[in-house]
Amino acid sequence: MYSKEVEKLLLKVQKPGRYVGGEMNSIIKKKEEVDVRFAFCFPDTYEIGMSHLGLKILYGAINEVPYFWCERVFAPWIDMEALMIEQGLPLYALESGDPVRDFDFIGFTLQYELSYTNVLNMLKLAGIPLKSSERTGLFHIVVGGGPCVCNPEPLADFFDLFFLGDGEEVDIAVMELYRRCKAEQKSRQEFLELAAQIEGVYVPSLYEVSYQDDGTIKACIPKNGAPERVKKCVIRDMDKAYYPSTFVVPLIDVVHNRVSEEVLRGCIRGCRFCQAGFLYRPFREKSIDVIDAQCQALCASTGYDEISLSSLSTSDYSQLNELLDRLHTWTEKEKVSVSLPSLRVDGFSPELMERINSVRKSGLTFAPEAGSQRMRDVINKNVEEEQLLHTVNVAFTEGWNRIKLYFMIGLPTETPEDVQAILTLGKKVVDAFYNNPNRSKGKGVEVTLSAAAFVPKPFTPFQWFGQDTMETLHDKQRVLKGNIPSKRLTVNYHGAQTSFLEAVFARGDRKLAPVLELAVERGIHFDGWDICFNFEQWMSVFQDLEVDPAFYANRHREFDEIFPWDHLDYGIRKEFLIEECRRAYRGETTPNCREKCAGCGAACYGGGLCVEKC
């Protein structure tokens, strides 16, 4: 629990519940009975971190081991941070109240590139040296996992090791190794070299990176016995994978205050912009029996009255209707609602909606991603305009009158006509409402078009494509805002500046480490929050260090260029991604994994749909 010094600060901050711990189902252990302590650090606020399913899974998995203790640490908001610095109080864990500097492992989940400054700032607040080369002894092992680990090179100087792929098993394996090394009094270097032999573990200090004269990568050479390519760790059987029977129940309202039940991992669709759809292959489902049992256990232990069936695309679960029918055998009696957070345009039906009693008639969200059919073919969305209009008509007939549609601008080969097509499609949705004789009478329709700027990401067919310049993105945003064809349409868009910075670090290399270090030194952090983001400050950092951010964000890359992440193996063949990129430029689509295997390479893991289709 928190100290007396912290208690004095709580009345001075906006949300003291973020900093006190003591929640129901939090795990307290006796320090003298624990061999290894793990500080799970989420580089954002309590409300966001406590909604993250990965934190809940790993928190439970680590604490299942009697001699391990995992505690939670969140980034203090700017009001609490200022007071902690003023009073000389270090960053602490919620369960014990102990300083993070007292822990063996300091682990970060890397979900978003704009959280990188928060990672370094949390280390700074904890009083832990930022660079791995400055940390000595078998202590303060800084580790990272999550989707951004597919290219962790901008953070390579600061981390001791990264976990690639599914973390439930590899995290425990590394902690067991650490426990043995600690007992045998091995050095930090010996531990890291042994850890590098575990599948799914990347130790960046064991790789030497050299550069060409033009700034591109020349080679990445392993040393001290490290593998030439680091393969991700994969849980092959989701029914046997660890899943918690209880969640920590937060003291204050958080983003997702409910039971989150992961029903599948991976995605069959192959949308060419979507990093997660490739990183989490192969596609693996849990059985209905396991999902049902886990949902019942979590509702009983937490008291939640809502279940969210979580995945990249829940409507692709092969027995979805049967699953919902099974859940309804007890959820209706217990007054527990069931929701699907990720519905596809081609997965919406009246039959499905009848089984989901928690979806309010106020709004539905779909993601066509592009306005024109040509662009949807380029990105391999495999959704026709007729399907979208049929879907919204079903929704209007069933009583909905608010629709939100997600799009991207700045996609490869995009033309001004493709941008204008977003507005045209939005107008067709509005017209569909008023042309539907079975719509709810006495209410108008509200259609919101939300346009995010495309960010090219590693391990996607678009990783070679340079992001549109900010000037070009601003021009496209002006087209959207200046040509709205109906008063029933609202247009929102994501800032081009944050998307630019996201692209810089998504495709960056180790030369960006000094940029991050200087940014944190100048007080830059919480970059994902508009109230804190300062683009001019960032540009000043790049300028002072003579680093050109456009080299990373806007530059088109050739197929034979060596990427900073090429020594990391997520099971997706680079040749497959090249062919998908070429197919995109030709406007050709690729069938989803259930229809036909595209030979992406994920069959190498011997599990999931890749094997079931054989």
Side-chain angles (χ1 to χ4, degrees):
M1 295 291 289
Y2 58 90
S3 66
K4 291 291 184 182
E5 289 80 7
V6 170
E7 186 175 11
K8 296 174 185 176
L9 307 182
L10 295 179
L11 292 177
K12 301 178 181 180
V13 298
Q14 183 183 20
K15 294 184 178 180
R18 292 166 165 167
Y19 311 109
V20 298
E23 307 99 322
M24 185 174 79
N25 298 331
S26 59
I27 297 173
I28 307 297
K29 297 187 178 184
K30 294 181 180 179
K31 285 182 278 189
E32 62 273 15
E33 296 177 1
V34 173
D35 295 334
V36 183
R37 300 184 70 184
F38 191 106
F40 194 119
C41 301
F42 195 94
D44 213 313
T45 62
Y46 177 92
E47 295 94 314
I48 295 176
M50 283 297 290
S51 303
H52 179 56
L53 181 57
L55 184 152
K56 298 173 183 178
I57 293 173
L58 292 176
Y59 180 82
I62 295 171
N63 281 319
E64 281 276 293
V65 182
Y67 44 82
F68 294 160
W69 189 10
C70 179
E71 303 185 46
R72 295 162 298 135
V73 183
F74 301 98
W77 186 239
I78 50 179
D79 55 352
M80 182 63 167
E81 178 187 342
L83 290 169
M84 290 172 67
I85 293 172
E86 179 185 303
Q87 298 297 319
L89 296 179
L91 188 66
Y92 61 92
L94 289 186
E95 278 72 11
S96 65
D98 290 343
V100 171
R101 62 171 178 257
D102 290 351
F103 286 71
D104 300 284
F105 282 88
I106 298 94
F108 290 91
T109 180
L110 305 173
Q111 299 292 317
Y112 182 37
E113 290 84 358
L114 295 194
S115 72
Y116 289 177
T117 50
N118 270 22
V119 170
L120 299 192
N121 192 56
M122 289 175 77
L123 288 175
K124 184 178 176 182
L125 291 172
I128 294 169
L130 295 188
K131 291 187 177 178
S132 58
S133 59
E134 297 171 353
R135 299 189 290 266
T136 59
L138 194 56
F139 201 55
H140 291 163
I141 306 298
V142 178
V143 303
C148 291
V149 166
C150 72
N151 178 29
E153 294 304 282
L155 292 168
D157 287 358
F158 311 110
F159 279 70
D160 294 296
L161 61 87
F162 295 98
F163 298 117
L164 275 64
D166 300 330
E168 295 96 321
E169 294 177 354
V170 66
D171 289 39
I172 301 296
V174 169
M175 291 179 70
E176 291 284 9
L177 172 65
Y178 178 86
R179 182 176 180 240
R180 293 198 303 272
C181 289
K182 197 174 178 182
E184 296 169 9
Q185 297 185 319
K186 290 188 181 294
S187 68
R188 187 186 197 89
Q189 185 65 25
E190 288 173 313
F191 163 71
L192 292 175
E193 290 178 9
L194 289 169
Q197 303 307 314
I198 299 174
E199 186 166 277
V201 175
Y202 170 46
V203 180
S205 62
L206 299 181
Y207 293 80
E208 206 71 57
V209 180
S210 58
Y211 296 87
Q212 308 274 12
D213 291 341
D214 63 359
T216 60
I217 304 289
K218 182 178 181 180
C220 182
I221 308 299
K223 58 185 181 181
N224 298 1
E228 186 174 339
R229 285 172 61 81
V230 182
K231 295 182 179 180
K232 76 170 180 179
C233 184
V234 170
I235 302 292
R236 289 166 173 78
D237 188 340
M238 291 301 294
D239 278 356
K240 295 178 180 177
Y242 173 83
Y243 205 77
S245 58
T246 186
F247 292 162
V248 178
V249 180
L251 296 174
I252 62 175
D253 196 27
V254 299
V255 177
H256 299 307
N257 213 354
R258 62 197 182 195
V259 166
S260 293
E261 170 63 20
E262 185 182 28
V263 298
L264 62 87
R265 199 167 289 181
C267 185
I268 63 173
R269 295 294 171 170
C271 298
R272 292 172 179 140
F273 59 85
C274 180
Q275 185 182 60
F278 293 100
L279 290 185
Y280 293 107
R281 293 188 179 195
F283 182 84
R284 295 147 287 162
E285 296 184 340
K286 287 181 185 176
S287 67
I288 290 177
D289 288 344
V290 168
I291 294 170
D292 183 51
Q294 290 176 351
C295 287
Q296 291 196 53
L298 284 165
C299 286
S301 67
T302 63
Y304 283 133
D305 61 0
E306 180 182 354
I307 298 168
S308 174
L309 301 180
S310 176
S311 76
L312 292 177
S313 183
T314 301
S315 55
D316 284 326
Y317 184 77
S318 60
Q319 302 178 77
L320 183 57
N321 287 338
E322 295 88 339
L323 170 61
L324 292 170
D325 288 342
R326 170 74 74 85
L327 293 174
H328 282 176
T329 61
W330 59 273
T331 55
E332 290 184 8
K333 180 176 64 176
E334 299 292 333
K335 292 183 169 52
V336 173
S337 62
V338 179
S339 64
L340 305 181
S342 51
L343 282 173
R344 282 180 55 89
V345 167
D346 53 359
F348 185 92
S349 67
E351 296 77 23
L352 181 59
M353 288 301 99
E354 285 176 7
R355 291 175 164 89
I356 305 173
N357 56 15
S358 67
V359 178
R360 299 183 182 93
K361 292 290 190 288
S362 56
L364 284 171
T365 300
F366 299 103
E369 310 294 1
S372 69
Q373 191 58 50
R374 188 194 76 81
M375 277 307 310
R376 287 193 292 274
D377 291 344
V378 167
I379 64 177
N380 204 45
K381 187 64 183 177
N382 282 321
V383 168
E384 304 283 338
E385 182 177 296
E386 291 74 17
Q387 289 176 303
L388 174 64
L389 295 177
H390 170 76
T391 293
V392 297
N393 267 308
V394 168
F396 296 149
T397 298
E398 293 295 315
W400 278 274
N401 72 315
R402 290 173 59 193
I403 301 289
K404 187 171 186 177
L405 302 177
Y406 280 114
F407 297 92
M408 281 184 288
I409 56 173
L411 288 161
T413 79
E414 185 178 69
T415 66
E417 291 75 21
D418 294 317
V419 177
Q420 183 63 42
I422 294 173
L423 297 171
T424 303
L425 185 58
K427 178 64 162 55
K428 288 181 179 179
V429 172
V430 171
D431 293 341
F433 177 83
Y434 290 106
N435 292 330
N436 187 325
N438 300 313
R439 71 182 189 273
S440 297
K441 301 302 188 289
K443 293 190 293 187
V445 68
E446 297 175 34
V447 179
T448 300
L449 311 179
S450 183
F454 165 71
V455 178
K457 292 292 182 85
F459 294 99
T460 69
F462 291 159
Q463 63 185 348
W464 290 275
F465 186 79
Q467 186 182 49
D468 273 358
T469 64
M470 281 185 290
E471 291 76 16
T472 301
L473 288 172
H474 284 145
D475 287 343
K476 293 177 178 180
Q477 290 169 346
R478 279 191 285 270
V479 168
L480 292 176
K481 272 292 190 182
N483 298 279
I484 300 175
S486 169
K487 292 181 179 179
R488 294 296 179 179
L489 278 178
T490 301
V491 176
N492 301 319
Y493 51 80
H494 186 65
Q497 293 177 341
T498 52
S499 298
F500 172 72
L501 200 63
E502 184 181 344
V504 170
F505 290 106
R507 301 206 298 169
D509 55 32
R510 296 188 181 190
K511 292 180 180 178
L512 291 176
V515 174
L516 287 168
E517 194 169 9
L518 182 57
V520 172
E521 186 180 313
R522 293 183 178 179
I524 296 175
H525 64 318
F526 278 112
D527 295 301
W529 294 75
D530 290 342
I531 192 174
C532 297
F533 184 68
N534 188 320
F535 189 68
E536 289 71 28
Q537 262 192 309
W538 270 108
M539 291 303 100
S540 175
V541 170
F542 284 114
Q543 184 175 358
D544 291 349
L545 292 174
E546 298 182 346
V547 173
D548 179 12
F551 176 82
Y552 299 105
N554 305 129
R555 181 173 60 88
H556 289 264
R557 307 190 184 188
E558 300 299 325
F559 287 142
D560 60 355
E561 180 174 333
I562 297 174
F563 287 137
W565 53 89
D566 272 352
H567 57 298
L568 306 180
D569 185 354
Y570 275 78
I572 306 300
R573 298 183 301 108
K574 196 171 184 179
E575 295 77 13
F576 164 77
L577 296 175
I578 289 173
E579 179 54 31
E580 279 294 288
C581 184
R582 288 174 171 152
R583 289 175 68 85
Y585 280 103
R586 296 195 298 266
E588 297 174 5
T589 61
T590 299
N592 73 58
C593 299
R594 279 211 176 98
E595 294 173 340
K596 182 181 178 182
C597 178
C600 71
C604 68
Y605 294 109
L609 186 62
C610 298
V611 171
E612 294 160 14
K613 288 288 287 185
C614 295

